[in-house]
Amino acid sequence: MFLCGIPDFRTPGTGLYDNLQKYNLKNATDVFDIEYFRKNPKPFNMLAKELFPGQYHPSTTHYFIRYYMKKGLLLRCFTQNIDGLESLAGIPDKKIVQAHGGF
């Protein structure tokens, strides 16, 4: 498996939700709750800074997808990731469908 260092959300022990204790949240999902943000934006802002693009780099798999694109074999690149690593690998934005949006 090729990892870029960005945690997923739900994996027990390593997922983002399991590692939000430092923000002293009642519920891990509060970090993404707009009402909680209005009361206390600090946890979201700190998390966003940690995940902000520029500190992670595309993996071999991202470049492999680009290879398919250059060969004319890639119609679309669907991703659930918000990191933008597909674009950094050289896949044109018009080919990328971001299911959860992106930075």
Side-chain angles (χ1 to χ4, degrees):
M1 182 189 297
F2 296 98
L3 300 175
C4 297
I6 302 166
D8 64 60
F9 281 73
R10 294 177 184 88
T11 301
T14 60
L16 186 76
Y17 287 148
D18 266 7
N19 292 289
L20 292 175
Q21 301 91 351
K22 61 187 167 194
Y23 301 121
N24 298 315
L25 301 168
K26 191 174 192 178
N27 298 305
T29 56
D30 285 346
V31 75
F32 299 115
D33 183 278
I34 190 64
E35 294 304 321
Y36 187 89
F37 177 81
R38 288 181 177 132
K39 294 175 194 168
N40 183 9
K42 189 173 181 179
F44 176 83
N45 291 335
M46 290 170 54
L47 178 62
K49 184 177 180 182
E50 286 179 36
L51 299 176
F52 199 78
Q55 55 189 338
Y56 301 105
H57 305 285
S59 69
T60 304
T61 302
H62 292 103
Y63 292 111
F64 186 67
I65 295 167
R66 182 186 70 184
Y67 171 80
Y68 272 101
M69 185 268 311
K70 287 187 172 192
K71 292 289 185 182
L73 300 171
L74 180 72
L75 298 178
R76 294 280 180 278
C77 175
F78 293 87
T79 181
Q80 296 185 68
N81 300 325
I82 64 168
D83 53 35
L85 295 180
E86 296 84 9
S87 293
L88 283 176
I91 300 166
D93 289 340
K94 67 183 179 184
K95 296 269 188 192
I96 300 170
V97 177
Q98 295 180 328
H100 297 298
F103 268 94

